[in-house]
Amino acid sequence: MNIHQLILFNIILATSATSCIHKNNNQNNTSNITTATQQQKIEQIQLTERTRGFSRSIVFTPSSKTTNTNEEVANTKISSSEWKAISDLAETIDLSRISDLPSPTTGRHSDRAMASSIIITSSGKEYTSSTFDSGHPPKELEALYNAINGSEKTKIR
């Protein structure tokens, strides 16, 4: 083997080794991202609504719903399908931006509306929405807000 063939062989060997390492790193990064997405799990969803003289909180967990209206607490079991429906809606929200979502109205500033917020616990971390008027959530939270209130309205009837 002459010197030119040896140099060419080393270049080819080094290039193919680098390519394999790069490919493995990309595969590892993809699987890490997939794992991180799968690990993000909704654990609890809470709606709070308050004004002077009135407060209400509805808390959903995978197996129960707790409603606290002016310190009167009611616990009920929920079905896995009800939890799945509500948690699926929560999963569609960009939790890292939930606190920055603008409220479409400002009635809560003068007690014309209850001040409301949604708190989602995911993978052990709480994400709290910006405060909004009861009945008028940011559009990104509207489906979740309506699902939470829909379950409460169903119970009242």
Side-chain angles (χ1 to χ4, degrees):
M1 197 180 235
N2 69 30
I3 189 78
H4 294 303
Q5 288 175 327
L6 186 58
I7 291 171
L8 184 59
F9 177 74
N10 282 334
I11 290 172
I12 292 171
L13 184 62
T15 304
S16 65
T18 303
S19 175
C20 289
I21 290 169
H22 182 68
K23 185 174 181 180
N24 274 343
N25 284 341
N26 282 344
Q27 287 172 342
N28 287 341
N29 288 341
T30 302
S31 67
N32 287 342
I33 290 168
T34 302
T35 303
T37 302
Q38 290 170 347
Q39 287 175 350
Q40 182 170 329
K41 182 179 179 188
I42 304 296
E43 297 157 4
Q44 179 176 293
I45 301 165
Q46 178 178 3
L47 169 66
T48 62
E49 298 183 305
R50 290 186 171 77
T51 192
R52 280 187 287 171
F54 182 82
S55 69
R56 180 172 72 152
S57 154
I58 304 170
V59 179
F60 283 89
T61 64
S63 61
S64 69
K65 177 176 77 170
T66 303
T67 304
N68 181 339
T69 305
N70 289 334
E71 303 304 320
E72 289 185 30
V73 179
N75 291 309
T76 56
K77 291 186 184 257
I78 61 170
S79 67
S80 59
S81 62
E82 186 176 4
W83 170 252
K84 181 170 176 14
I86 290 193
S87 63
D88 284 353
L89 288 170
E91 287 175 358
T92 65
I93 299 166
D94 182 354
L95 297 179
S96 66
R97 296 187 56 236
I98 194 171
S99 64
D100 299 326
L101 299 175
S103 175
T105 56
T106 59
R108 68 195 174 283
H109 294 220
S110 61
D111 279 344
R112 285 183 291 153
M114 291 186 288
S116 303
S117 65
I118 294 177
I119 303 164
I120 299 171
T121 305
S122 176
S123 301
K125 185 174 178 189
E126 279 190 0
Y127 299 88
T128 304
S129 74
S130 56
T131 305
F132 57 90
D133 290 353
S134 177
H136 301 281
K139 65 180 177 177
E140 297 86 349
L141 301 177
E142 192 169 12
L144 178 60
Y145 178 84
N146 289 337
I148 292 169
N149 273 317
S151 70
E152 191 60 21
K153 289 175 185 169
T154 303
K155 179 186 165 212
I156 291 170
R157 287 185 187 158

